[in-house]
Amino acid sequence: MAGSTSLIAEKTFGVTIEKLNKSFDGVPVLKDISLEVKPGEIFVIMGPSGSGKSVLLRHVAGLEVPTSGSVHIGDFNPADPATRQQIHLALVFQAGALFNSLSVYDNLALYPREHRLGNEAQIRDRVMHALQILSLEKAVAQYPAELSGGMKKRVAIARALVMEPQLLLYDEPTSELDPVMSATIIEIIAALREHTAVTTIVVSHDRTLAMSIADRIAIIMDGRIRAIGGVADFEHPANPAIANFLNPTIDLKNPRFKQLENDHE
Amino acid sequence: MKQLNAIIESIGSTVLLAFNSGRYLKTLPRQFPRLIEQCYLIGYTTLPIVTILSFFIGSVLALQSGYSMQNFGAKQLIGTLVGMSMVRELGPVMVAILVTGRVGSAITAELASMKVYQEIDALETMNIPPERMLVMPRLVAVLFMMPVLASITNLCGWFGGALVCKYTAFIAVEPDAYFAALKRFMGAKDVWDGLIKAEVFGFAVILVSCSIGLNTRGGPREIGAAVTKAVVVSLILILVLDYFVTKVLI
Ligand SMILES: Nc1ncnc2c1ncn2[C@@H]1O[C@H](COP(=O)(O)OP(=O)(O)O)[C@@H](O)[C@H]1O
Ligand SMILES: [Mg+2]
């Protein structure tokens, strides 16, 4: 541990989502979503591409306003600018969303500088500590455009850590990564929760991730929650749609695309 | 109807952006490095092109008026004409147009790309208002730089005119006479009016560029569309504002 920086938030929040509906231009994307994430747990939201996972996560982060229903972090509404300042949440975007005009160091230092969380020396400690946790010390002077996909994700996670978040949100943290890098990221997510007890919501369609670190899993399909439960509940799911999503069989004699062709005939 | 709504909406959000940015004015001292950077980008990078263009505009003004006035024996008034047109009208408008092309478009491209690549979203999740960090320093910087740019424009235009008057055979007005005429009818109010115009145009251009950039939606393709839109809206705005500000100031 470097110096006095702990990167541990003093408290963490649960998340309550009630009857959340969201439409874009009249097209419903999220339908009647209710779920509760308990303080300190790792909650994994799984679902096929386009099922609304990112949109759901953006609601938790306060970046989207519900069409109806509500999202609360503790007692706070994340979409309300007045209460937004009370919550320190960090969202690790799927593509990183690093500030392209800033070096890795400045990407991490921006938050503590803007919120004036100490002098430059203290901020430096904090930033270097986060970089160290993610083995990024060598990238400190590089710019986002010079980083590989895996490094971008790690920088994004380090940037989230510097915020000492009370709620950590990850959008597809292992997508586009090789298996070893995925495993590393999964271990990092678990270790961070272990060290900081921070409530963690992970959106992913990575079965390995969900099965290895989730406390609970929700399956979202076509904008609707199809199932919520512990890891054990999803080892042999009874529902054929969920079973097929989690363990898709590859049948070369009777492939799926042929069915598509037949549909058009 | 839908388009009208969209226009009213974007005017509304632009005005709102000005107010929201103004609220963070007190954070200016600690954003001093950003202010300096923006002053540099707005002022220093437009300076060469402003200098060259205003020199030639002054020259051509002298040439044209010298040509049309030679028959009336009013050559002695060329200095007045060049001086007044530069100070009251051409200087501010030209600087504003150059700032649109050189700075406004770059700002829109930068902010639109930050929006499209979710950097703006990241700022919001960090409780860092984009108005404070990205808009306010630019608006203040343009207010600092426009009078400087407009003054340099005026000087270059005047000198361009003076040179043409001296070295064009059919005009042949000496610099002494030219500058005497320039000074005779020009008061402090004319200079002030010109600087006020420059401030208004510059502020409007940067505000519109920021607003259009931050309101970009969709994919990378929209970045280019946003820049085009910002430039077109800025140019229209400069000429429309020019009329109204002139009317108020006269
Ligand atoms: N800002 C938006 N405007 C319109 N449609 C959107 C917007 N954001 C997402 N969508 C749509 O919502 C659906 C779910 O998207 P998303 O949450 O990104 O899926 P995923 O589960 O792969 O993360 C998609 O059909 C997408 O096109
Ligand atoms: Mg997604």
Side-chain angles (χ1 to χ4, degrees), chain B:
Chain B
M1 199 58 218
K2 215 173 154 191
Q3 267 164 345
L4 193 70
N5 270 347
I7 291 173
I8 292 173
E9 215 176 283
S10 44
I11 293 176
S13 73
T14 305
V15 172
L16 207 65
L17 183 66
F19 279 105
N20 282 337
S21 308
R23 288 204 329 226
Y24 297 110
L25 211 54
K26 60 181 183 299
T27 67
L28 195 60
R30 66 182 167 99
Q31 299 207 63
F32 194 68
R34 260 181 215 137
L35 176 66
I36 298 298
E37 188 192 353
Q38 291 305 324
C39 283
Y40 172 81
L41 288 175
I42 295 172
Y44 192 73
T45 59
T46 27
L47 195 58
I49 186 168
V50 159
T51 318
I52 296 169
L53 252 113
S54 49
F55 182 84
F56 280 101
I57 288 196
S59 306
V60 83
L61 264 181
L63 201 58
Q64 283 286 9
S65 49
Y67 173 72
S68 17
M69 284 172 169
Q70 60 181 345
N71 304 323
F72 306 111
K75 285 196 297 193
Q76 301 311 322
L77 291 177
I78 295 176
T80 316
L81 195 140
V82 174
M84 281 294 215
S85 334
M86 284 308 290
V87 163
R88 291 196 60 94
E89 190 59 48
L90 290 173
V93 169
M94 200 193 68
V95 171
I97 289 175
L98 291 179
V99 165
T100 302
R102 191 76 175 75
V103 182
S105 58
I107 290 178
T108 307
E110 184 180 346
L111 297 191
S113 126
M114 290 183 76
K115 176 78 190 220
V116 166
Y117 293 108
Q118 297 187 309
E119 293 179 38
I120 302 290
D121 287 341
L123 283 179
E124 266 165 33
T125 62
M126 295 176 166
N127 285 330
I128 302 171
E131 294 91 346
R132 183 178 81 197
M133 185 178 133
L134 300 171
V135 183
M136 191 274 288
R138 290 185 160 97
L139 289 176
V140 175
V142 79
L143 290 180
F144 278 127
M145 294 325 287
M146 283 308 278
V148 177
L149 288 173
S151 304
I152 293 171
T153 300
N154 292 340
L155 290 177
C156 292
W158 295 345
F159 277 102
L163 280 182
V164 165
C165 287
K166 182 168 163 61
Y167 292 110
T168 306
F170 65 82
I171 303 178
V173 172
E174 284 302 308
D176 282 352
Y178 171 89
F179 280 110
L182 191 149
K183 272 190 263 176
R184 195 174 327 137
F185 295 101
M186 193 183 312
K189 183 176 182 316
D190 297 310
V191 178
W192 272 117
D193 284 0
L195 295 186
I196 290 172
K197 268 190 183 179
E199 291 282 50
V200 172
F201 299 164
F203 189 84
V205 166
I206 301 300
L207 182 64
V208 163
S209 304
C210 288
S211 176
I212 291 177
L214 288 176
N215 284 307
T216 308
R217 266 174 244 296
R221 246 182 63 137
E222 305 303 321
I223 298 171
V227 172
T228 309
K229 185 174 162 196
V231 169
V232 170
V233 172
S234 294
L235 293 180
I236 294 173
L237 204 59
I238 290 168
L239 297 178
V240 172
L241 280 174
D242 190 23
Y243 176 81
F244 287 104
V245 176
T246 307
K247 215 169 153 138
V248 168
L249 290 175
I250 275 175

Side-chain angles (χ1 to χ4, degrees), chain A residues 49-50 52-55 94 171-172 203 205:
Chain A
S49 297
K53 303 184 297 295
S54 297
V55 173
Q94 180 168 2
D171 196 350
E172 311 260 11
V203 153
H205 45 226

Side-chain angles (χ1 to χ4, degrees), chain A residues 121-198:
Chain A
Q122 289 164 322
I123 289 173
R124 187 167 185 85
D125 271 358
R126 199 166 159 150
V127 168
M128 292 317 288
H129 186 197
L131 286 174
Q132 201 183 317
I133 291 177
L134 290 139
S135 325
L136 284 165
E137 295 101 320
K138 287 208 191 80
V140 63
Q142 285 184 297
Y143 281 80
E146 303 162 359
L147 303 175
S148 69
M151 275 171 106
K152 272 188 196 158
K153 295 234 171 180
R154 266 151 57 207
V155 174
I157 295 175
R159 187 176 71 180
L161 262 190
V162 168
M163 296 168 64
E164 300 185 357
Q166 300 158 329
L167 175 63
L168 244 174
L169 312 172
Y170 298 88
D171 196 350
E172 311 260 11
T174 59
S175 67
E176 299 156 50
L177 297 183
D178 64 73
V180 177
M181 186 51 72
S182 300
T184 314
I185 299 274
I186 293 170
E187 286 164 6
I188 289 170
I189 296 171
L192 288 179
R193 198 279 304 264
E194 214 52 50
H195 278 102
T196 64
V198 63

